[in-house]
Amino acid sequence: MTKPPFSPDGDTSQPADERGFFAGQQPKRAGAAIAAVQQDDAHYHGHRDRLRTRYREHGDTALADYEILELLLFRLIPRRDTKPIAKALLERFGTLAGVFGASPALLQEVKGIGEAVAFDLKLISTVTHRTLKSGLKGKQVLASWSSVIDYCHAAMAHETREQFRILFLDKRNALIADEVQQTGTIDHTPVYPREVVKRALELSATALILVHNHPSGDPAPSRADIEMTRLIVDIAKPLEITVHDHIIIGKDGHASLKSLRLI
């Protein structure tokens, strides 16, 4: 005797529709999935609220570096747990300065960072650089030396290639122009002393501060750095252009050829 098809409601008098049976299970599964998502949403939204409250009430000293970065990423990545991404960025680049100094291509190597987020992080970095630079305008640079160092460090410390930058000053030692004259390789930048002095004359600058970075991280001047600086000094001096200093920027510090009595 042939048994009738199984019916999910226990009634074997009518043939059961298998599609109806499985369709009846789908709302239960979908409901469980939705509940799980809602629980996850509640968790990270609660976490975000707690971080915001801590920052609002106690300031940045109440948060670790990864939490500061996480707080920023909340806005850039709205519906995702950003703590693992913040920690991965710091693990990859070492410090907040390293994160914001990294190129968009390197940032995108970190899981969770796409093109748009990398762009936004670099935009924030640019705003920081411009803010520091604006603090030098209209001021006697030599009287704001710590601001000069802060600006140069923010602008150059995490560059992956050497840059040669010149700060051109007027008779009051106020900033006329800030220019990157050359960009080289990881350990060398070609510098042409006569071109340096020529540009100073074009801008009617009467003083210079030379700056370049060492991507290796060690700001100690090389023999070539010293010789090149002295050559610029010798060419500029008869034209009454003073070279105040040559600063070398490393990841964790800087060297001043003037302080080292090398010029």
Side-chain angles (χ1 to χ4, degrees):
M1 180 177 178
T2 304
K3 292 183 179 180
F6 172 74
S7 173
D9 59 6
D11 182 4
T12 59
S13 61
Q14 297 293 332
D17 186 342
E18 290 182 355
R19 290 173 298 177
F21 170 74
F22 288 110
Q25 306 307 307
Q26 289 175 0
K28 296 179 181 178
R29 295 175 182 173
I34 291 171
V37 170
Q38 289 174 339
Q39 186 176 6
D40 288 343
D41 282 353
H43 170 73
Y44 74 69
H45 281 305
H47 174 63
R48 291 181 174 199
D49 289 341
R50 288 190 294 273
L51 268 188
R52 290 190 183 102
T53 299
R54 283 169 55 198
Y55 180 74
R56 190 180 299 114
E57 294 180 355
H58 305 290
D60 65 287
T61 56
L63 302 178
D65 283 356
Y66 80 87
E67 290 175 316
I68 292 288
L69 190 53
E70 185 184 359
L71 200 58
L72 173 62
L73 291 173
F74 288 168
R75 295 185 176 277
L76 305 183
I77 310 173
R79 296 187 60 81
R80 188 167 178 180
D81 181 5
T82 58
K83 182 189 289 187
I85 302 173
K87 288 187 172 182
L89 283 167
L90 286 171
E91 183 177 355
R92 173 69 173 79
F93 300 108
T95 63
L96 286 174
V99 172
F100 289 105
S103 68
L106 289 177
L107 288 170
Q108 289 178 71
E109 291 180 3
V110 176
K111 185 178 180 180
I113 300 296
E115 183 178 356
V117 175
F119 175 86
D120 287 342
L121 290 174
K122 291 308 298 179
L123 182 59
I124 293 167
S125 177
T126 299
V127 171
T128 301
H129 296 168
R130 294 288 181 91
T131 300
L132 291 170
K133 184 177 178 178
S134 67
L136 299 177
K137 289 186 176 180
K139 294 182 179 179
Q140 291 189 353
V141 170
L142 298 184
S144 308
W145 196 247
S146 62
S147 297
V148 173
I149 298 300
D150 288 345
Y151 165 64
C152 292
H153 193 274
M156 303 175 72
H158 296 280
E159 290 292 331
T160 56
R161 295 189 296 168
E162 279 199 10
Q163 289 183 350
F164 181 69
R165 179 184 297 267
I166 307 173
L167 305 182
F168 297 93
L169 312 179
D170 65 14
K171 290 181 179 180
R172 299 181 302 109
N173 287 320
L175 185 66
I176 297 174
D178 163 27
E179 297 181 355
V180 175
Q181 193 172 70
Q182 297 288 341
T183 298
T185 64
I186 192 171
D187 59 1
H188 174 70
T189 305
V191 177
Y192 305 100
R194 293 188 184 279
E195 291 299 317
V196 172
V197 176
K198 177 184 176 182
R199 183 58 177 155
L201 292 171
E202 290 172 349
L203 294 170
S204 299
T206 58
L208 309 173
I209 297 174
L210 313 177
V211 192
H212 84 278
N213 63 309
H214 281 178
S216 67
D218 180 6
S222 67
R223 173 53 56 185
D225 293 336
I226 298 167
E227 291 175 354
M228 176 268 292
T229 305
R230 288 175 175 171
L231 184 54
I232 293 175
V233 170
D234 290 343
I235 296 173
K237 189 174 182 179
L239 299 171
E240 298 184 345
I241 298 173
T242 302
V243 178
H244 285 310
D245 205 345
H246 184 171
I247 304 166
I248 302 175
I249 301 293
K251 285 186 173 64
D252 299 315
H254 72 280
S256 159
L257 268 66
K258 184 174 183 179
S259 296
L260 294 171
R261 299 185 178 183
L262 295 173
I263 57 172

